[in-house]
Amino acid sequence: RELGDRGGEAGSCLTFGGLKLSWGDHGGARSLLEEGLAIALEVRSSPLEAAARGSLGELMLGLGRHADAGRQLTRALALAEELGRPRLRGLFLRLRGELQFADGRPEEGRASMEEGRALLADAKLRSDLHDLLERWSEREADQGELDRSEELHHDAAEEAELSIADGPASVVLRR
C-alpha cells in the first residue's frame, strides 16, 4: 500500500488469504480474498482475478456454500482458459470436481478430475497432478469406490516420486 503498488497489494492479500484458508481461518481468509478480488478488478488484472476467484471458490466449497463456489469456479476457469494457464485450469478443474462430488454428481466430478489430470500431465506439472490425484482418491473413497481410490492413490504416489526426480524445476517453473 505504502508504495502504491495495487497489484502487489492484491497479490499479498491473496497470498495471506490463501494461508489463512489453509489454516482453517475462514473468516480471515474471506475478508482478505474479497479484498484481493476487489483490487484485482480495480487494476484489471485477469491473472489476479482468476486466482482470487479460485481461492474464493475453494473457501465457499469448504463452507458448504456450493452455489457460490460454483459461480466463482466457473469464472475462474474461464479466466484461466483465456489466459492460457494450464496450472490454474488444472487447479480449478480439481476444485470443480470436488464440488461436483460434494453435490452428489460423481460422474461429473470424475470428468472434471480427468480433464484436469490430462491437462496437468501434458504440462508436466507433476506436483499439482499429485495433489489432484490425492484429492480425487479421497473423493472416490468417500463414494465407497475403494478400488478406484486405491488406484488413484497409487498414481499420486508415482507422480510424487517423479516430481522429486524432476527436481525443483517442476515446482519453480509452474505457470
Side-chain angles (χ1 to χ4, degrees):
R1 267 183 208 138
E2 293 174 10
L3 299 173
D5 178 4
R6 297 293 281 162
E9 185 179 350
S12 294
C13 286
L14 298 177
T15 298
F16 194 38
L19 282 172
K20 286 190 173 257
L21 180 59
S22 71
W23 297 334
D25 179 0
H26 293 133
R30 184 175 183 173
S31 64
L32 285 163
L33 295 173
E34 287 175 344
E35 182 180 357
L37 175 59
I39 297 169
L41 292 170
E42 175 188 317
V43 300
R44 298 181 182 179
S45 171
S46 294
L48 289 171
E49 180 186 351
R53 290 188 183 282
S55 293
L56 281 166
E58 183 174 11
L59 171 66
M60 294 296 125
L61 176 61
L63 292 173
R65 296 180 55 184
H66 294 181
D68 292 333
R71 280 190 291 279
Q72 293 293 353
L73 292 172
T74 296
R75 184 67 184 132
L77 267 165
L79 287 165
E81 177 87 31
E82 289 171 20
L83 293 166
R85 300 276 177 99
R87 180 172 184 263
L88 286 180
R89 282 187 58 221
L91 173 63
F92 302 153
L93 284 165
R94 174 185 60 81
L95 289 168
R96 183 176 74 183
E98 289 192 66
L99 173 62
Q100 291 163 328
F101 272 102
D103 277 344
R105 299 177 290 146
E107 289 307 317
E108 291 176 39
R110 289 180 185 110
S112 291
M113 294 289 199
E114 189 58 52
E115 184 180 350
R117 178 184 196 166
L119 183 68
L120 294 171
D122 287 348
K124 297 189 180 2
L125 295 166
R126 295 188 193 284
S127 179
D128 294 311
L129 180 54
H130 166 266
D131 293 343
L132 179 144
L133 292 167
E134 276 293 311
R135 299 297 282 270
W136 188 1
S137 172
E138 292 167 7
R139 300 298 72 79
E140 293 294 357
D142 294 344
Q143 295 290 311
E145 296 289 341
L146 300 182
D147 288 342
R148 183 177 285 159
S149 174
E150 186 176 325
E151 182 180 324
L152 289 163
H153 183 74
H154 172 73
D155 292 348
E158 189 174 294
E159 289 302 327
E161 289 176 17
L162 291 170
S163 71
I164 291 169
D166 289 347
S170 69
V171 175
V172 174
L173 297 178
R174 291 180 176 178
R175 184 165 179 217

